Amino acid sequence: MQFLSIQIGLSFWIGFQGIQMKRTLFAVFVLSSFFTGITDAQNINKGLKQITPELLAQHINYLASDSMKGRNTPSPELDRAAGYIAGEFAFLGIEKVNGSYFQEIPMYTRNLDPGNCLLKITMGQEGKTFRLKDDYIPFEMTADTLVKSSLVFAGYGITAPEHGYDDYAGMDVRGKIVLVMKHEPGEKDSTSCFDGINDSRYSLLTTKVENAMKHGAIGMLVVTDPLNHLILAPQGYPWPGLSSFLPQDNLPVEMSREEGDIPVVQVGEAVIACLLGSVDSLKHIQRRIDGAYSPCSFSLDQSICELGTGLTVHSLVAKNVIGYLEGRDTELKKEYVVVGGHYDHVGFMKNHKEGEDYIFNGADDNASGTAGVLAVARAFAAMGRKPERSLVFILFAGEEKGLYGSKYYCQKPLFPLEKTVVMLNLDMISRNGRDTLQIDGLKQNPDLAALMLKGADSFKMKSIAGKEDLFKRSDHYNFYKKGISAVDITSGLHGDYHTVRDNPASVDPLKAATISRLTFEIAWRTANAKIYFRTEINKNNQ
């Protein structure tokens, strides 16, 4: 055995405080626990033997073959991969959920309707209608709507209470359109409270849009901050209808959006000049903000802005693949340990030279993690004695689009989230040194972290630190936001990430098998543990 020893089996059964027994009964209980520990050790070894490099290579080679064309979400190839995964679950005897291995995710593409786009600004008595593409371009998250109101300049559009900074402080933007700059204060300042020269989450456009909506804004104009960037031309999203070079299916794929979305466009120099007089005026304002890390927001009271973005929508469907293995304990089987990973990747290049490698196979990202989940499922299926809690195996679609599959599952769970105790996510497990392991989320999950680090040590794997922002970049994060202890188990990023070089020849099946074996033992431990696992979100309530 590795770290799940007979001694752990003993302590597992007899280590609870508050149990008082007579000496004779206690001896009988210890003896019974000893033989249970032996049985469990033998049973777990039976499961571990199922996880081999050859098995991992078999799954990776199929899922990351050229015929799968990069498993884009959605695509016929992704559906074929879903069928392969479901077939493996059926072969192993992993149960369906509600009569199916599939959870359908409603998705759609949106294309810009240029005939229904409008940006008109009136300053005092003078109005000007701006030109789509030359003066403004909508972003992919824009709404299909038309709004009209006065404008408010809201700096960088940031509210960061931990830094004592709020562009909306003292400003009432309810029912108004806001004008904000890209990026964040002190973008080139290594001492900036906004993570130095690294982009913090406050620099993300999605964060700015969410913040504007939270403050009641009904639309957003975005400008490039001119002190740090020379190109001020509108960029927005590269809609195929605005370019003769882009394929007509170069469209953003999204899940159904929330009600109340707002139109969001990037504007260029002509709009800046109309609103502020000149680019130099905007530079002056930006200099004031960056110099003191203090907002400089104001209302453009004489302005009236009409902002409209028209869209055409086409509905699509992608699938999460879900299997279930019921636990053996009468009560604990109503609680769940989730082992998951995403099975999609980013597809292929439609425009390429003859003979050029154009397929993003996604062997490590994330055929390897998918293979790992299937291997763990095989190990549990082979065991004569099931764990006390139930196991749920989920392969997510749409991770590369924005964690869509796990987001949808957490919105529409097939098993109660309040009864889900742990989520173990496998994402890229077959690269870098054989003895290294990266676990994203150790800080956020103190109880699970102790178990993970002990397991890594028993497998003679060195735990290496990942960047903090990586914790939010895979499917475990949606579970964590629901208060579930969740970590990402990975071998880390590498130079072939999201390139055509991430192909089956580049992976290490032995490493993938080792990490899968570790994940299996961690899943077994958590499925049998008599404790509940705290997170940074819920630990203060325990």
Side-chain angles (χ1 to χ4, degrees):
M1 277 308 296
Q2 310 265 354
F3 75 96
L4 191 70
S5 62
I6 291 174
Q7 288 78 10
I8 290 176
L10 281 169
S11 62
F12 178 80
W13 289 103
I14 68 175
F16 306 114
Q17 295 182 356
I19 297 177
Q20 302 294 326
M21 292 184 178
K22 292 182 180 181
R23 184 170 300 176
T24 302
L25 291 177
F26 183 74
V28 171
F29 180 72
V30 169
L31 186 62
S32 174
S33 297
F34 178 78
F35 286 111
T36 299
I38 292 175
T39 301
D40 279 349
Q42 293 172 340
N43 196 32
I44 292 167
N45 269 328
K46 183 178 180 180
L48 284 170
K49 289 178 180 178
Q50 302 296 315
I51 304 176
T52 66
E54 292 75 18
L55 175 67
L56 274 293
Q58 173 188 324
H59 291 320
I60 293 170
N61 288 340
Y62 178 82
L63 293 167
S65 64
D66 283 351
S67 66
M68 290 306 229
K69 292 191 175 179
R71 309 183 309 282
N72 197 17
T73 300
S75 68
E77 293 79 20
L78 188 73
D79 290 342
R80 188 143 46 91
Y84 175 85
I85 295 164
E88 183 68 10
F89 281 164
F91 173 76
L92 297 174
I94 303 297
E95 298 175 39
K96 296 178 179 179
V97 183
N98 299 330
S100 176
Y101 288 119
F102 304 120
Q103 180 188 37
E104 292 192 344
I105 310 166
M107 308 181 86
Y108 64 90
T109 59
R110 302 187 301 165
N111 201 354
L112 194 66
D113 180 3
N116 284 310
C117 291
L118 173 67
L119 176 58
K120 181 179 179 180
I121 297 175
T122 302
M123 298 294 290
Q125 300 300 313
E126 185 177 350
K128 182 175 181 180
T129 299
F130 293 92
R131 296 169 299 177
L132 179 65
K133 184 179 178 181
D134 294 330
D135 298 325
Y136 73 100
I137 298 178
F139 285 100
E140 68 272 23
M141 75 283 293
T142 196
D144 182 19
T145 190
L146 173 68
V147 297
K148 181 178 180 180
S149 80
S150 62
L151 282 153
V152 174
F153 176 75
Y156 288 96
I158 290 173
T159 299
E162 71 273 29
H163 301 316
Y165 184 93
D166 186 2
D167 283 308
Y168 289 94
M171 305 302 298
D172 183 2
V173 302
R174 288 173 294 179
K176 298 179 181 179
I177 299 171
V178 293
L179 171 67
V180 304
M181 292 186 291
K182 283 187 169 183
H183 305 109
E184 58 197 357
E187 182 186 356
K188 305 296 184 182
D189 180 5
S190 61
T191 65
S192 167
C193 60
F194 292 94
D195 202 17
I197 61 174
N198 298 313
D199 292 337
S200 78
R201 66 184 181 91
Y202 292 110
S203 70
L204 299 175
L205 181 62
T206 51
T207 305
K208 296 175 188 283
V209 173
E210 289 171 3
N211 195 34
M213 293 173 62
K214 180 180 178 181
H215 284 87
I218 61 171
M220 177 182 281
L221 308 182
V222 181
V223 299
T224 299
D225 47 313
L227 284 181
N228 298 321
H229 303 274
L230 296 176
I231 299 175
L232 303 183
Q235 296 170 323
Y237 183 80
W239 302 97
L242 301 183
S243 171
S244 59
F245 302 102
L246 293 171
Q248 292 304 300
D249 59 354
N250 183 58
L251 300 172
V253 177
E254 303 190 51
M255 286 175 56
S256 297
R257 300 186 63 82
E258 302 290 335
E259 289 294 327
D261 287 346
I262 62 176
V264 184
V265 305
Q266 180 164 0
V267 299
E269 293 187 45
V271 178
I272 296 172
C274 175
L275 294 174
L276 302 175
S278 68
V279 172
D280 284 340
S281 295
L282 182 57
K283 286 182 178 179
H284 176 71
I285 296 168
Q286 184 186 0
R287 193 174 289 111
R288 284 182 56 186
I289 297 173
D290 287 19
Y293 285 91
S294 178
C296 184
S297 302
F298 54 88
S299 296
L300 292 155
D301 294 324
Q302 300 302 311
S303 66
I304 294 294
C305 178
E306 295 176 69
L307 174 62
T309 52
L311 301 168
T312 57
V313 178
H314 177 61
S315 297
L316 302 166
V317 172
K319 301 170 185 174
N320 289 331
V321 190
I322 305 176
Y324 167 68
L325 189 66
E326 187 177 53
R328 71 173 186 268
D329 185 83
T330 304
E331 291 302 318
L332 286 181
K333 71 179 182 180
K334 300 172 186 176
E335 298 178 354
Y336 309 95
V337 171
V338 174
V339 181
H342 72 94
Y343 71 103
D344 68 315
H345 195 52
V346 299
F348 59 93
M349 292 184 286
K350 294 181 173 61
N351 298 321
H352 58 88
K353 299 175 182 177
E354 186 175 353
E356 178 183 18
D357 189 354
Y358 65 98
I359 298 173
F360 299 96
N361 300 90
D364 187 41
D365 183 19
N366 186 36
S368 68
T370 300
V373 175
L374 293 176
V376 173
R378 179 179 286 262
F380 274 104
M383 301 177 75
R385 180 179 174 85
K386 305 305 181 196
E388 297 195 348
R389 290 189 176 93
S390 297
L391 272 295
V392 181
F393 304 100
I394 311 179
L395 282 310
F396 301 103
E399 190 267 359
E400 299 288 1
K401 303 297 184 184
L403 312 187
Y404 287 170
S406 55
K407 180 179 179 181
Y408 188 76
Y409 179 86
C410 288
Q411 290 174 349
K412 308 282 186 182
L414 301 186
F415 298 93
L417 294 182
E418 64 273 15
K419 294 292 186 178
T420 302
V421 297
V422 162
M423 192 278 179
L424 304 174
N425 190 60
L426 293 172
D427 193 351
M428 302 174 60
I429 63 170
S430 63
R431 295 294 296 270
N432 301 321
R434 281 188 176 175
D435 63 345
T436 60
L437 175 71
Q438 183 174 310
I439 307 167
D440 296 322
L442 293 178
K443 175 184 175 183
Q444 294 86 349
N445 300 272
D447 295 332
L448 188 54
L451 198 63
M452 294 296 306
L453 291 174
K454 186 174 182 179
D457 184 64
S458 72
F459 275 86
K460 296 181 171 54
M461 301 192 79
K462 296 180 292 188
S463 177
I464 58 176
K467 291 184 178 180
E468 190 66 25
D469 64 341
L470 292 178
F471 179 63
K472 300 179 180 181
R473 287 175 51 180
S474 196
D475 291 302
H476 61 287
Y477 184 61
N478 283 320
F479 288 81
Y480 174 77
K481 289 194 296 183
K482 296 292 186 179
I484 298 165
S485 192
V487 293
D488 186 34
I489 305 168
T490 177
S491 58
L493 297 176
H494 48 77
D496 296 338
Y497 173 69
H498 279 204
T499 73
V500 296
R501 298 187 302 275
D502 183 13
N503 54 46
S506 68
V507 305
D508 181 356
L510 177 58
K511 180 161 190 178
T514 302
I515 292 179
S516 300
R517 287 163 63 91
L518 167 63
T519 303
F520 165 68
E521 289 206 10
I522 295 294
W524 172 265
R525 289 287 306 278
T526 54
N528 287 290
K530 298 295 185 182
I531 67 167
Y532 291 89
F533 297 86
R534 298 170 301 151
T535 71
E536 287 293 317
I537 287 178
N538 65 30
K539 72 176 183 178
N540 293 327
N541 297 322
Q542 296 297 311

